[in-house]
Amino acid sequence: LSFSYDGLANVLSNINLEFQQGELVGLAGPSGAGKSTLVELILRLRTPTEGRMAGGNASWQDVEPSNFAERVAFVPQRPVLIEGTVAENIDMYRGLDEDRLSRALTEAHLAEEVAALPDGINTRLGHDDRSLSGGQRQRLTIARALAGDPEIIVLDEPTSALDTISEIAIRKTLSEQSQNRLTILIAHRFSTLSSCTRIVVLEHGEVRADGHPDEVARQSGYFRKMQHGEAEDPALDGVEA
């Protein structure tokens, strides 16, 4: 597929990718390479200018919106909480039972920290609540995504502004929870990509490398720079515990 915002210049060109259940795919590449645009296409926020996307034999755009929302979850770079309890922030009006909410907290490696809150899972949080650290808020949004048991999870720079301990916890969650679903992860940090089973490198809107991390390291100079900490990391303006 290809995609253009203005109908003149392509932001993505000749993208030909096939993803499978159980893969933990890292999307890497310099700023402006097209990673976010590709994710927007996967999330159906945009439609390809040329070509098509499919899930199995079904056209991506033909899947019913409610069905799509149950199957695909998105974790943004900056976690957003609602005014409500921890449980309500995980459930997000889906009517999930308490066992499923508790299991999602365990899967996100957040259960013990939530249990230590004044009212546990029933502790009330605000939109920008400071009773939780940045890492805890991000893991809460991951628990929210996992609670619906989606087939696909897409994460946009989930560890970009977190301390090392929180990043390790999130990497562990992604590694453990990717076995039964497709996980797609945008990251500028090599450490965040270190758990991925497959790396796709985009540069100038094209796929420049695709495969096992060792194979991609041989194919892509950009990925080798990431390994050595030489690639850009524009998200690291401030690290939040």
Side-chain angles (χ1 to χ4, degrees), residues 26-49:
L27 293 183
S31 296
K35 303 184 297 299
S36 294
T37 302
L38 179 58
V39 163
E40 289 172 357
L41 289 168
I42 292 171
L43 295 174
R44 298 203 323 186
L45 300 176
R46 301 188 185 278
T47 302
T49 306

Side-chain angles (χ1 to χ4, degrees), residues 44 63-72:
R44 298 203 323 186
V63 179
E64 288 292 329
S66 60
N67 192 2
F68 187 86
E70 291 178 354
R71 293 169 179 256
V72 182

Side-chain angles (χ1 to χ4, degrees), residues 29-145:
S31 296
K35 303 184 297 299
S36 294
T37 302
L38 179 58
V39 163
E40 289 172 357
L41 289 168
I42 292 171
L43 295 174
R44 298 203 323 186
L45 300 176
R46 301 188 185 278
T47 302
T49 306
E50 299 177 8
R52 65 186 293 267
M53 300 179 64
N57 295 320
S59 174
W60 208 238
Q61 297 296 328
D62 290 342
V63 179
E64 288 292 329
S66 60
N67 192 2
F68 187 86
E70 291 178 354
R71 293 169 179 256
V72 182
F74 175 61
V75 178
Q77 180 176 352
R78 301 205 177 276
V80 177
L81 304 185
I82 63 171
E83 297 281 348
T85 65
V86 172
E88 288 169 339
N89 268 277
I90 301 171
D91 182 47
M92 288 298 286
Y93 311 104
R94 289 175 289 185
L96 303 175
D97 61 51
E98 188 173 335
D99 287 344
R100 187 66 194 98
L101 302 182
S102 297
R103 188 160 72 250
L105 281 173
T106 299
E107 291 168 347
H109 294 278
L110 191 57
E112 292 185 6
E113 290 154 88
V114 167
L117 294 173
D119 295 311
I121 198 170
N122 295 313
T123 300
R124 294 195 66 81
L125 304 174
H127 172 69
D128 191 26
D129 198 275
R130 291 293 168 179
S131 61
L132 298 180
S133 71
Q136 289 170 330
R137 292 198 299 272
Q138 188 63 287
R139 278 179 281 157
L140 186 59
T141 61
I142 292 175
R144 178 189 295 166

Side-chain angles (χ1 to χ4, degrees), residues 120-195:
I121 198 170
N122 295 313
T123 300
R124 294 195 66 81
L125 304 174
H127 172 69
D128 191 26
D129 198 275
R130 291 293 168 179
S131 61
L132 298 180
S133 71
Q136 289 170 330
R137 292 198 299 272
Q138 188 63 287
R139 278 179 281 157
L140 186 59
T141 61
I142 292 175
R144 178 189 295 166
L146 292 173
D149 196 24
E151 296 178 19
I152 301 171
I153 293 183
V154 180
L155 304 99
D156 184 5
E157 296 278 5
T159 66
S160 63
L162 303 184
D163 62 288
T164 301
I165 294 175
S166 294
E167 180 183 359
I168 290 172
I170 289 175
R171 282 164 43 198
K172 187 175 182 181
T173 294
L174 297 179
S175 181
E176 293 169 349
Q177 299 304 317
S178 65
Q179 298 177 6
N180 299 317
R181 56 176 55 92
L182 167 64
T183 304
I184 299 174
L185 168 68
I186 295 179
H188 283 94
R189 283 179 174 177
F190 176 74
S191 57
T192 308
L193 297 172
S194 61
S195 300

